[in-house]
PDB file of all heavy atoms in Angstrom:
ATOM      1  N   ASN Y1126     130.023  26.833  75.923  1.00 97.00           N
ATOM      2  CA  ASN Y1126     130.919  27.890  76.393  1.00 97.00           C
ATOM      3  C   ASN Y1126     132.378  27.435  76.339  1.00 97.00           C
ATOM      4  O   ASN Y1126     133.213  27.873  77.092  1.00 97.00           O
ATOM      5  CB  ASN Y1126     130.552  28.328  77.805  1.00 97.00           C
ATOM      6  CG  ASN Y1126     130.727  27.222  78.823  1.00 97.00           C
ATOM      7  OD1 ASN Y1126     130.852  26.070  78.466  1.00 97.00           O
ATOM      8  ND2 ASN Y1126     130.692  27.571  80.089  1.00 97.00           N
ATOM      9  N   LYS Y1127     132.682  26.540  75.391  1.00 97.00           N
ATOM     10  CA  LYS Y1127     133.995  25.930  75.329  1.00 97.00           C
ATOM     11  C   LYS Y1127     135.066  26.830  74.702  1.00 97.00           C
ATOM     12  O   LYS Y1127     136.248  26.569  74.831  1.00 97.00           O
ATOM     13  CB  LYS Y1127     133.924  24.613  74.573  1.00 97.00           C
ATOM     14  CG  LYS Y1127     133.060  23.592  75.284  1.00 97.00           C
ATOM     15  CD  LYS Y1127     133.125  22.248  74.624  1.00 97.00           C
ATOM     16  CE  LYS Y1127     132.180  21.249  75.175  1.00 97.00           C
ATOM     17  NZ  LYS Y1127     132.060  21.188  76.624  1.00 97.00           N
ATOM     18  N   MET Y1128     134.656  27.889  73.995  1.00 97.00           N
ATOM     19  CA  MET Y1128     135.626  28.797  73.369  1.00 97.00           C
ATOM     20  C   MET Y1128     136.001  29.907  74.313  1.00 97.00           C
ATOM     21  O   MET Y1128     135.257  30.213  75.271  1.00 97.00           O
ATOM     22  CB  MET Y1128     135.038  29.365  72.074  1.00 97.00           C
ATOM     23  CG  MET Y1128     134.757  28.334  71.011  1.00 97.00           C
ATOM     24  SD  MET Y1128     133.828  28.965  69.618  1.00 97.00           S
ATOM     25  CE  MET Y1128     132.170  28.774  70.243  1.00 97.00           C
ATOM     26  N   GLU Y1129     137.132  30.539  74.079  1.00 97.00           N
ATOM     27  CA  GLU Y1129     137.563  31.645  74.917  1.00 97.00           C
ATOM     28  C   GLU Y1129     136.760  32.897  74.578  1.00 97.00           C
ATOM     29  O   GLU Y1129     136.753  33.313  73.407  1.00 97.00           O
ATOM     30  CB  GLU Y1129     139.048  31.920  74.746  1.00 97.00           C
ATOM     31  CG  GLU Y1129     139.919  30.826  75.295  1.00 97.00           C
ATOM     32  CD  GLU Y1129     141.398  31.162  75.174  1.00 97.00           C
ATOM     33  OE1 GLU Y1129     141.733  32.315  74.917  1.00 97.00           O
ATOM     34  OE2 GLU Y1129     142.201  30.228  75.331  1.00 97.00           O
ATOM     35  N   LYS Y1130     136.103  33.496  75.586  1.00 97.00           N
ATOM     36  CA  LYS Y1130     135.333  34.719  75.436  1.00 97.00           C
ATOM     37  C   LYS Y1130     134.204  34.630  74.424  1.00 97.00           C
ATOM     38  O   LYS Y1130     133.760  35.626  73.874  1.00 97.00           O
ATOM     39  CB  LYS Y1130     136.229  35.916  75.133  1.00 97.00           C
ATOM     40  CG  LYS Y1130     137.236  36.215  76.231  1.00 97.00           C
ATOM     41  CD  LYS Y1130     137.982  37.490  75.937  1.00 97.00           C
ATOM     42  CE  LYS Y1130     138.943  37.773  77.077  1.00 97.00           C
ATOM     43  NZ  LYS Y1130     139.614  39.052  76.913  1.00 97.00           N
ATOM     44  N   THR Y1131     133.730  33.410  74.127  1.00 98.00           N
ATOM     45  CA  THR Y1131     132.668  33.207  73.157  1.00 98.00           C
ATOM     46  C   THR Y1131     131.684  32.162  73.676  1.00 98.00           C
ATOM     47  O   THR Y1131     132.106  31.154  74.246  1.00 98.00           O
ATOM     48  CB  THR Y1131     133.231  32.738  71.796  1.00 98.00           C
ATOM     49  OG1 THR Y1131     134.184  33.716  71.349  1.00 98.00           O
ATOM     50  CG2 THR Y1131     132.144  32.620  70.761  1.00 98.00           C
ATOM     51  N   ILE Y1132     130.404  32.424  73.479  1.00 98.00           N
ATOM     52  CA  ILE Y1132     129.377  31.441  73.847  1.00 98.00           C
ATOM     53  C   ILE Y1132     128.512  31.206  72.600  1.00 98.00           C
ATOM     54  O   ILE Y1132     128.436  32.025  71.714  1.00 98.00           O
ATOM     55  CB  ILE Y1132     128.502  31.926  75.010  1.00 98.00           C
ATOM     56  CG1 ILE Y1132     127.880  33.293  74.716  1.00 98.00           C
ATOM     57  CG2 ILE Y1132     129.270  31.943  76.303  1.00 98.00           C
ATOM     58  CD1 ILE Y1132     126.913  33.813  75.760  1.00 98.00           C
ATOM     59  N   VAL Y1133     127.859  30.039  72.569  1.00 98.00           N
ATOM     60  CA  VAL Y1133     126.901  29.723  71.513  1.00 98.00           C
ATOM     61  C   VAL Y1133     125.541  29.819  72.143  1.00 98.00           C
ATOM     62  O   VAL Y1133     125.266  29.131  73.157  1.00 98.00           O
ATOM     63  CB  VAL Y1133     127.146  28.328  70.917  1.00 98.00           C
ATOM     64  CG1 VAL Y1133     126.128  28.049  69.814  1.00 98.00           C
ATOM     65  CG2 VAL Y1133     128.552  28.203  70.356  1.00 98.00           C
ATOM     66  N   VAL Y1134     124.664  30.667  71.586  1.00 98.00           N
ATOM     67  CA  VAL Y1134     123.323  30.896  72.136  1.00 98.00           C
ATOM     68  C   VAL Y1134     122.268  30.356  71.160  1.00 98.00           C
ATOM     69  O   VAL Y1134     122.320  30.669  69.983  1.00 98.00           O
ATOM     70  CB  VAL Y1134     123.106  32.396  72.394  1.00 98.00           C
ATOM     71  CG1 VAL Y1134     121.712  32.653  72.953  1.00 98.00           C
ATOM     72  CG2 VAL Y1134     124.172  32.967  73.314  1.00 98.00           C
ATOM     73  N   LYS Y1135     121.331  29.548  71.679  1.00 98.00           N
ATOM     74  CA  LYS Y1135     120.245  29.000  70.905  1.00 98.00           C
ATOM     75  C   LYS Y1135     119.014  29.895  71.105  1.00 98.00           C
ATOM     76  O   LYS Y1135     118.579  30.118  72.233  1.00 98.00           O
ATOM     77  CB  LYS Y1135     119.931  27.588  71.344  1.00 98.00           C
ATOM     78  CG  LYS Y1135     118.754  26.939  70.651  1.00 98.00           C
ATOM     79  CD  LYS Y1135     118.493  25.551  71.126  1.00 98.00           C
ATOM     80  CE  LYS Y1135     117.931  25.583  72.538  1.00 98.00           C
ATOM     81  NZ  LYS Y1135     117.423  24.275  72.983  1.00 98.00           N
ATOM     82  N   ILE Y1136     118.476  30.405  70.004  1.00 98.00           N
ATOM     83  CA  ILE Y1136     117.300  31.277  70.049  1.00 98.00           C
ATOM     84  C   ILE Y1136     116.155  30.590  69.308  1.00 98.00           C
ATOM     85  O   ILE Y1136     116.315  30.194  68.133  1.00 98.00           O
ATOM     86  CB  ILE Y1136     117.607  32.650  69.446  1.00 98.00           C
ATOM     87  CG1 ILE Y1136     118.671  33.351  70.297  1.00 98.00           C
ATOM     88  CG2 ILE Y1136     116.357  33.480  69.341  1.00 98.00           C
ATOM     89  CD1 ILE Y1136     119.189  34.642  69.727  1.00 98.00           C
ATOM     90  N   GLU Y1137     115.005  30.433  69.991  1.00 97.00           N
ATOM     91  CA  GLU Y1137     113.845  29.777  69.386  1.00 97.00           C
ATOM     92  C   GLU Y1137     112.815  30.790  68.986  1.00 97.00           C
ATOM     93  O   GLU Y1137     112.548  31.738  69.727  1.00 97.00           O
ATOM     94  CB  GLU Y1137     113.225  28.777  70.386  1.00 97.00           C
ATOM     95  CG  GLU Y1137     114.076  27.577  70.660  1.00 97.00           C
ATOM     96  CD  GLU Y1137     113.389  26.583  71.584  1.00 97.00           C
ATOM     97  OE1 GLU Y1137     112.384  26.942  72.192  1.00 97.00           O
ATOM     98  OE2 GLU Y1137     113.878  25.471  71.677  1.00 97.00           O
ATOM     99  N   ASP Y1138     112.234  30.616  67.807  1.00 96.00           N
ATOM    100  CA  ASP Y1138     111.180  31.461  67.293  1.00 96.00           C
ATOM    101  C   ASP Y1138     109.956  30.590  67.079  1.00 96.00           C
ATOM    102  O   ASP Y1138     109.977  29.660  66.274  1.00 96.00           O
ATOM    103  CB  ASP Y1138     111.601  32.124  65.969  1.00 96.00           C
ATOM    104  CG  ASP Y1138     110.550  33.051  65.409  1.00 96.00           C
ATOM    105  OD1 ASP Y1138     109.790  33.613  66.211  1.00 96.00           O
ATOM    106  OD2 ASP Y1138     110.492  33.189  64.182  1.00 96.00           O
ATOM    107  N   ARG Y1139     108.884  30.835  67.826  1.00 97.00           N
ATOM    108  CA  ARG Y1139     107.642  30.058  67.721  1.00 97.00           C
ATOM    109  C   ARG Y1139     106.620  30.861  66.928  1.00 97.00           C
ATOM    110  O   ARG Y1139     106.412  32.033  67.191  1.00 97.00           O
ATOM    111  CB  ARG Y1139     107.079  29.746  69.111  1.00 97.00           C
ATOM    112  CG  ARG Y1139     107.990  28.851  69.908  1.00 97.00           C
ATOM    113  CD  ARG Y1139     107.475  28.661  71.328  1.00 97.00           C
ATOM    114  NE  ARG Y1139     108.384  27.857  72.078  1.00 97.00           N
ATOM    115  CZ  ARG Y1139     108.291  26.522  72.208  1.00 97.00           C
ATOM    116  NH1 ARG Y1139     107.297  25.898  71.616  1.00 97.00           N
ATOM    117  NH2 ARG Y1139     109.159  25.849  72.921  1.00 97.00           N
ATOM    118  N   TYR Y1140     105.997  30.194  65.961  1.00 97.00           N
ATOM    119  CA  TYR Y1140     104.990  30.865  65.122  1.00 97.00           C
ATOM    120  C   TYR Y1140     103.987  29.836  64.617  1.00 97.00           C
ATOM    121  O   TYR Y1140     104.319  28.657  64.482  1.00 97.00           O
ATOM    122  CB  TYR Y1140     105.671  31.578  63.950  1.00 97.00           C
ATOM    123  CG  TYR Y1140     106.444  30.675  63.049  1.00 97.00           C
ATOM    124  CD1 TYR Y1140     105.877  30.195  61.885  1.00 97.00           C
ATOM    125  CD2 TYR Y1140     107.751  30.281  63.334  1.00 97.00           C
ATOM    126  CE1 TYR Y1140     106.566  29.348  61.030  1.00 97.00           C
ATOM    127  CE2 TYR Y1140     108.439  29.422  62.498  1.00 97.00           C
ATOM    128  CZ  TYR Y1140     107.849  28.968  61.356  1.00 97.00           C
ATOM    129  OH  TYR Y1140     108.529  28.120  60.534  1.00 97.00           O
ATOM    130  N   PRO Y1141     102.758  30.243  64.340  1.00 98.00           N
ATOM    131  CA  PRO Y1141     101.772  29.285  63.844  1.00 98.00           C
ATOM    132  C   PRO Y1141     101.919  29.052  62.339  1.00 98.00           C
ATOM    133  O   PRO Y1141     102.265  29.968  61.589  1.00 98.00           O
ATOM    134  CB  PRO Y1141     100.432  29.969  64.138  1.00 98.00           C
ATOM    135  CG  PRO Y1141     100.761  31.423  64.122  1.00 98.00           C
ATOM    136  CD  PRO Y1141     102.156  31.529  64.659  1.00 98.00           C
ATOM    137  N   HIS Y1142     101.658  27.807  61.928  1.00 97.00           N
ATOM    138  CA  HIS Y1142     101.646  27.510  60.495  1.00 97.00           C
ATOM    139  C   HIS Y1142     100.517  28.282  59.832  1.00 97.00           C
ATOM    140  O   HIS Y1142      99.423  28.354  60.367  1.00 97.00           O
ATOM    141  CB  HIS Y1142     101.462  26.009  60.291  1.00 97.00           C
ATOM    142  CG  HIS Y1142     101.659  25.581  58.886  1.00 97.00           C
ATOM    143  ND1 HIS Y1142     100.661  25.713  57.916  1.00 97.00           N
ATOM    144  CD2 HIS Y1142     102.729  25.055  58.219  1.00 97.00           C
ATOM    145  CE1 HIS Y1142     101.099  25.266  56.764  1.00 97.00           C
ATOM    146  NE2 HIS Y1142     102.370  24.848  56.925  1.00 97.00           N
ATOM    147  N   PRO Y1143     100.757  28.900  58.662  1.00 96.00           N
ATOM    148  CA  PRO Y1143      99.762  29.736  58.046  1.00 96.00           C
ATOM    149  C   PRO Y1143      98.427  29.033  57.716  1.00 96.00           C
ATOM    150  O   PRO Y1143      97.373  29.612  57.845  1.00 96.00           O
ATOM    151  CB  PRO Y1143     100.403  30.235  56.740  1.00 96.00           C
ATOM    152  CG  PRO Y1143     101.834  29.869  56.810  1.00 96.00           C
ATOM    153  CD  PRO Y1143     102.011  28.893  57.905  1.00 96.00           C
ATOM    154  N   MET Y1144      98.494  27.753  57.317  1.00 97.00           N
ATOM    155  CA  MET Y1144      97.291  27.047  56.936  1.00 97.00           C
ATOM    156  C   MET Y1144      96.744  26.155  58.045  1.00 97.00           C
ATOM    157  O   MET Y1144      95.539  26.129  58.304  1.00 97.00           O
ATOM    158  CB  MET Y1144      97.526  26.190  55.693  1.00 97.00           C
ATOM    159  CG  MET Y1144      96.296  25.453  55.195  1.00 97.00           C
ATOM    160  SD  MET Y1144      96.625  24.427  53.786  1.00 97.00           S
ATOM    161  CE  MET Y1144      96.886  25.623  52.506  1.00 97.00           C
ATOM    162  N   TYR Y1145      97.655  25.450  58.771  1.00 97.00           N
ATOM    163  CA  TYR Y1145      97.199  24.409  59.693  1.00 97.00           C
ATOM    164  C   TYR Y1145      97.168  24.866  61.144  1.00 97.00           C
ATOM    165  O   TYR Y1145      96.725  24.159  62.023  1.00 97.00           O
ATOM    166  CB  TYR Y1145      98.075  23.162  59.553  1.00 97.00           C
ATOM    167  CG  TYR Y1145      98.030  22.634  58.140  1.00 97.00           C
ATOM    168  CD1 TYR Y1145      99.180  22.662  57.346  1.00 97.00           C
ATOM    169  CD2 TYR Y1145      96.867  22.130  57.591  1.00 97.00           C
ATOM    170  CE1 TYR Y1145      99.152  22.181  56.057  1.00 97.00           C
ATOM    171  CE2 TYR Y1145      96.825  21.652  56.322  1.00 97.00           C
ATOM    172  CZ  TYR Y1145      97.976  21.683  55.529  1.00 97.00           C
ATOM    173  OH  TYR Y1145      97.916  21.222  54.254  1.00 97.00           O
ATOM    174  N   SER Y1146      97.682  26.055  61.454  1.00 95.00           N
ATOM    175  CA  SER Y1146      97.687  26.651  62.793  1.00 95.00           C
ATOM    176  C   SER Y1146      98.483  25.876  63.834  1.00 95.00           C
ATOM    177  O   SER Y1146      98.364  26.129  65.015  1.00 95.00           O
ATOM    178  CB  SER Y1146      96.253  26.851  63.303  1.00 95.00           C
ATOM    179  OG  SER Y1146      95.563  27.705  62.437  1.00 95.00           O
ATOM    180  N   LYS Y1147      99.250  24.899  63.415  1.00 97.00           N
ATOM    181  CA  LYS Y1147     100.134  24.197  64.351  1.00 97.00           C
ATOM    182  C   LYS Y1147     101.296  25.108  64.696  1.00 97.00           C
ATOM    183  O   LYS Y1147     101.816  25.823  63.838  1.00 97.00           O
ATOM    184  CB  LYS Y1147     100.671  22.920  63.722  1.00 97.00           C
ATOM    185  CG  LYS Y1147     101.637  22.172  64.612  1.00 97.00           C
ATOM    186  CD  LYS Y1147     102.179  20.941  63.972  1.00 97.00           C
ATOM    187  CE  LYS Y1147     103.185  20.272  64.887  1.00 97.00           C
ATOM    188  NZ  LYS Y1147     103.702  19.028  64.323  1.00 97.00           N
ATOM    189  N   THR Y1148     101.702  25.111  65.968  1.00 98.00           N
ATOM    190  CA  THR Y1148     102.824  25.936  66.394  1.00 98.00           C
ATOM    191  C   THR Y1148     104.137  25.300  65.931  1.00 98.00           C
ATOM    192  O   THR Y1148     104.424  24.131  66.284  1.00 98.00           O
ATOM    193  CB  THR Y1148     102.833  26.116  67.920  1.00 98.00           C
ATOM    194  OG1 THR Y1148     101.606  26.731  68.296  1.00 98.00           O
ATOM    195  CG2 THR Y1148     103.978  27.006  68.338  1.00 98.00           C
ATOM    196  N   LEU Y1149     104.912  26.036  65.175  1.00 98.00           N
ATOM    197  CA  LEU Y1149     106.208  25.552  64.686  1.00 98.00           C
ATOM    198  C   LEU Y1149     107.310  26.273  65.463  1.00 98.00           C
ATOM    199  O   LEU Y1149     107.135  27.392  65.896  1.00 98.00           O
ATOM    200  CB  LEU Y1149     106.359  25.836  63.195  1.00 98.00           C
ATOM    201  CG  LEU Y1149     105.310  25.217  62.278  1.00 98.00           C
ATOM    202  CD1 LEU Y1149     105.489  25.713  60.865  1.00 98.00           C
ATOM    203  CD2 LEU Y1149     105.380  23.717  62.357  1.00 98.00           C
TER     204      LEU Y1149
END
């Protein structure tokens, strides 16, 4: 939040690997 009137937001997207089913 170091900028004036601006924030940086981290958005995570969790999904399974198509072949191995590990959550990425």
